[in-house]
Amino acid sequence: MRNVLIVVFVLIVGCGGEAPAARWVACEFTGSTPGGVTVRSCAELETDDPDKHEGQCKDASNLEAELVDRCSTDDVLGTCVLTGDGETMTTYHYETELLTADIVKPLCEATNGTWTPR
């Protein structure tokens, strides 16, 4: 399960832009661990280069990824806010079987993110 979460964080941290934000891009990720635990998250980024970030959503490696209008706030376990390159990304982590804040919070903090439980 940590491998799936780390892949999501690596993808998210790699998103960045150089110009002021202009439009929201939201990407919902779903994946399963080798043990069969489903992991679900969604990341929102305000950017002036939506095409670049939409393309990154579609190329999410072993995760199922889907562009959405905005991330759902239903069943949220907590959020991780990352700021870099003048952009702020909010990642929503959703309640799923066996996923707890004790697992996600340290991963968020390891990427210099701010964890907020819901």
Side-chain angles (χ1 to χ4, degrees):
M1 176 167 39
R2 288 182 186 233
N3 289 342
V4 173
L5 292 173
I6 290 169
V7 169
V8 171
F9 277 109
V10 168
L11 178 66
I12 291 168
V13 172
C15 297
E18 291 101 41
R23 186 181 135 205
W24 284 99
V25 174
C27 188
E28 186 171 282
F29 302 95
T30 306
S32 295
T33 67
V37 176
T38 300
V39 178
R40 190 173 142 239
S41 65
C42 185
E44 290 183 341
L45 175 71
E46 193 172 7
T47 180
D48 67 331
D49 191 359
D51 292 335
K52 171 186 170 186
H53 296 289
E54 287 175 358
Q56 286 179 339
C57 176
K58 296 172 188 173
D59 296 331
S61 67
N62 63 336
L63 300 174
E64 293 180 34
E66 176 183 1
L67 286 169
V68 293
D69 291 332
R70 292 300 291 255
C71 294
S72 171
T73 57
D74 296 336
D75 301 321
V76 172
L77 179 65
T79 60
C80 182
V81 177
L82 300 167
T83 303
D85 294 331
E87 296 180 329
T88 299
M89 178 173 289
T90 302
T91 303
Y92 297 81
H93 294 278
Y94 300 101
E95 295 178 14
T96 61
E97 180 186 354
L98 304 178
L99 184 66
T100 66
D102 291 338
I103 294 170
V104 183
K105 179 182 177 188
L107 295 171
C108 173
E109 292 172 345
T111 59
N112 295 320
T114 301
W115 174 256
T116 304
R118 293 291 173 153

